Amino acid sequence: ATGGPGELRILAPRGFTFAEDCFFDLHFADNLPNLETDVFGGFAIPPGYMGWPDDLLPTHCAGRENEAVISFPAGTRAGEAVLLQPGLAYVFRVGVLNPLE
């Protein structure tokens, strides 16, 4: 997944489909009932994953076929820019239509 400042692009395998407005298909730690089982399809979250930063919660999600672009505001904390950090794994879930189901 790649993107510019303030956006995250997700590319699913060919045939998978994101909703055009995928915002309501986004789920983060604060709206997942059970972090132990609700992120990775019933499996516990592996060690080393971080919660999504509260000051970077998305404002928009646009899907087009097998690509989704999640937009979030450029956050600041104590005057410093808040960004997703390269090399860190963040916990979130986005719905996608599986062509095999």
Side-chain angles (χ1 to χ4, degrees):
T2 62
E7 74 177 25
L8 175 69
R9 291 185 186 275
I10 300 172
L11 187 62
R14 194 178 331 213
F16 285 72
T17 307
F18 292 100
E20 284 185 33
D21 179 359
C22 51
F23 182 79
F24 295 103
D25 294 330
L26 290 171
H27 301 280
F28 298 90
D30 63 341
N31 64 1
L32 290 172
N34 184 343
L35 282 179
E36 290 299 315
T37 60
D38 288 346
V39 178
F40 293 104
F43 298 98
I45 296 171
Y49 279 74
M50 301 183 60
W52 192 275
D54 288 337
D55 33 11
L56 291 180
L57 288 178
T59 55
H60 186 72
C61 181
R64 182 169 174 256
E65 298 177 2
N66 66 327
E67 180 182 40
V69 178
I70 302 170
S71 302
F72 48 90
T76 59
R77 188 181 306 129
E80 297 288 323
V82 177
L83 302 169
L84 296 178
Q85 299 298 309
L88 296 181
Y90 294 93
V91 173
F92 71 97
R93 185 174 71 186
V94 60
V96 65
L97 180 63
N98 182 338
L100 301 178
E101 292 182 354

